[in-house]
DNA sequence: ATTTTTTTGTGATATATATCATATTTTTTA
DNA sequence: TAAAAAATATGATATATATCACAAAAAAAT
C-alpha cells in the first residue's frame, strides 16, 4: 500500500539522511516512495534487478534465498536500516528476497538520486560507509558464530538475539515458525522443537507456542558460548 | 620489513586511489608505510585497536579468528584489496587476525588521512563504497554456500575458488595445510584428507601433497553444486 | 462451525562427519 | 645429516543431527 511520504521531519529518518540539507531532503522526497507491507508480504524478490535503495522505515523483515528446493534465511533485520545497497550499487540483481515478519513500512529511493547525495554531501557518504561497515561486522560475527556452535548453542544465541537486538524485552513472540527458525540457524524444524522444549523443561525459558519468556538469561548465555 | 613506498605511479595502485589527484597522492604517500611479510608472518592480530586502513598490495593472506582453543579461517584474500576497513571506521578492534599465506606487501594508511580523502574526493568515496558492497556480497555468498553444502561440496567449491579467484591456473599449490583447509570450510583435517584422496582416485584432480591439478572441472562444479 | 491445511511435537532410525588411534611421510631444527 | 616436530593418510568407532513416521494442535479457508 502506498504511503504518504514525507522526508523532511520524517519520524523514522535514517542516521545518514539527517546530514542532508533542506533542499536535498526535498529532492529525496521527490525520488522516493513509501510502501507499507503486511506480515508475510514479499518486499522484493531475489534475482530482480535492483534499481532502488531500500530503506526499512518500520518493522522487522527476513532476508532469504532459495537453492534447488531448499531455502535459507540469511538475516533478520529490524528498522531503521538500509536493505540491498550492495546489490544496487554493483548494478546487480538482488542476492536475496525480503519478506515482512511484521507490519512494515519501506521507502524505495531511486538509485541514481541516492548516488547524487553521495557525491554532493560527504557527511552523507561517510555515514553510508559506516552503515556498510557495521553490516559487514555483523555478518562476519554471524558467519563465525554459526560455524562454531552446535544446535543448542545456536538456538540459545538466537533467543538472546531476539531479546537484545530486536524486542529488548525478555517476553516476546518468536517471529518465525519452527521451520523458519531451522532455516535461519541451519537445522531441521524437529531439532528446533526438541531444543526449545528442552529449554522449557529446564526452566531456562517459558514457552507456549511462539510465546517465549527468558527466565535464565545467564544460563542461556553460557549455552550460547559453549553449546 | 619496511619497503620504500611510492604512491604516485605505484604499480599496485588500488581502483580507489586511481581517483586521487597528484597532490592527494603525495599526501597519501606521506601518511602510509609499506611493509613486506614472509609466508606465515602475522600482519595484524585480532582484538588490536585498528588505527590504520590496510591495503594488501601484493600476495595472499588469510583472515582468521580464535575462540576457546578452536580457530576458524574466515576468508582468504588476494591482492589488491583493502583489509579491516569496517573495524577501522567503526573505531573498533580488529575482528580477526591476518596472516600471510605467501610473501606479501601491505600498506598501512593512517585512518584519519584516509577519511580526509573520503571527504575531499567523492569519486574516491564512491569507489570505497563499491568495494565495501562487493565484499558484502562475497561474504553473503560464502555464508550461504557453506550452510547448504556437505563436506565434498565445500571442498570442490574451494578448489574451484583457488582456480578461478586466486591462481587462475588449473595447476596450483594449495596455500593451506589440511588442518587449515578444515578450519576454512568447517570440517576436520581428516575429512579433508579423505575427500581429497577420493577426488584423486576418481581422477577429478591430480594430487601430490599440496600440488593440485584440476582434471575434471565440470565434475568438480557438479559436486560443488550438489554435494 | 466444519473442513482443510499448516504447524508442531516426539519417538525410532539412518547417516554424515567427528574423534580416536596409529602409521607414514614431510618439514624443520639442531 | 640426524633427530625432532609437524603434517598427512587411513581404518575403527562414536555421536550429533537429519530424516522418517505419525499424531496432535493450531491456523486458515470455506
Amino acid at each position: 500500500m502506498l504511503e504518504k511520504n514525507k522526508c523532511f521531519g520524517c519520524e523514522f529518518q535514517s542516521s545518514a539522511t539527517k546530514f542532508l540539507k533542506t533542499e536535498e531532503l526535498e529532492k529525496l522526497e521527490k525520488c522516493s516512495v513509501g510502501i507499507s507491507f503486511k506480515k508475510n508480504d514479499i518486499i522484493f524478490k531475489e534475482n530482480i534487478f535492483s534499481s532502488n535503495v531500500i530503506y526499512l522505515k518500520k518493522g522487522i523483515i527476513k532476508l532469504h534465498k532459495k537453492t534447488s528446493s531448499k531455502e535459507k534465511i540469511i538475516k533478520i533485520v529490524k528498522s531503521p536500516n538500509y536493505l540491498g545497497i550492495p546489490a544496487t550499487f554493483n548494478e546487480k540483481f538482488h542476492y536475496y528476497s525480503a519478506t515482512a515478519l511484521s507490519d512494515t513500512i519501506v521507502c524505495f529511493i531511486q538509485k541514481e538520486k541516492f548516488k547524487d547525495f553521495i557525491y554532493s554531501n560527504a557527511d552523507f557518504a561517510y555515514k553510508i560507509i559506516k552503515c556498510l561497515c557495521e553490516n559487514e561486522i555483523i555478518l562476519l560475527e554471524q558467519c563465525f558464530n554459526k560455524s562454531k556452535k552446535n544446535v543448542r548453542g545456536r538456538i540459545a544465541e538466537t533467543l538472546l538475539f531476539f531479546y537484545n537486538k530486536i524486542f529488548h524485552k525478555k517476553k516476546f513472540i518468536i517471529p518465525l515458525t519452527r521451520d523458519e527458525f531451522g532455516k535461519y540457524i541451519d537445522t531441521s524444524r524437529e531439532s528446533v522443537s526438541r531444543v526449545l522444549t528442552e529449554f522449557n523443561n529446564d526452566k531456562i525459558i517459558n514457552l507456549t507456542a511462539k510465546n517465549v519468556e527468558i527466565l535464565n538469561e545467564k544460563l542461556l548465555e553460557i549455552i550460547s558460548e559453549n553449546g
Side-chain angles (χ1 to χ4, degrees), chain A residues 13 40 46 103 116 119 130 155 163 175 179 200 214 223:
Chain A
Q13 222 182 331
N40 294 326
E46 61 209 84
D103 291 351
D116 287 347
Y119 274 85
K130 289 198 70 163
I155 290 180
Y163 164 43
D179 192 48
N200 187 54
I214 292 177
I223 295 168

Side-chain angles (χ1 to χ4, degrees), chain A residues 96-129:
Chain A
Y96 38 60
S97 304
T99 299
L101 291 177
S102 72
D103 291 351
T104 290
I105 305 174
V106 165
C107 293
F108 289 85
I109 306 156
Q110 286 167 41
K111 175 203 164 179
E112 285 309 320
K113 300 291 163 59
F114 195 88
K115 194 174 154 183
D116 287 347
F117 297 139
I118 290 172
Y119 274 85
S120 67
N121 188 322
D123 284 314
F124 179 80
Y126 189 67
K127 198 75 205 177
I128 293 296
I129 288 177

Side-chain angles (χ1 to χ4, degrees), chain A residues 59-75:
Chain A
I60 301 165
I61 62 108
K62 64 173 178 179
L63 300 177
H64 53 109
K65 183 178 173 66
K66 264 194 196 140
T67 16
S68 52
S69 78
K70 286 189 179 179
E71 199 196 39
K72 163 147 183 66
I73 295 175
I74 294 166
K75 220 173 166 184

Side-chain angles (χ1 to χ4, degrees), chain A residues 22-51:
Chain A
T22 310
E23 72 265 22
E24 287 172 320
L25 275 175
E26 278 165 7
K27 264 194 208 166
L28 178 63
E29 199 170 303
K30 273 183 210 139
C31 72
S32 64
V33 284
I35 298 188
S36 68
F37 293 91
K38 294 218 174 306
K39 197 183 146 130
N40 294 326
D41 283 352
I42 296 167
I43 298 168
F44 58 84
K45 279 206 140 190
E46 61 209 84
N47 305 323
I48 293 284
F49 186 80
S50 172
S51 49

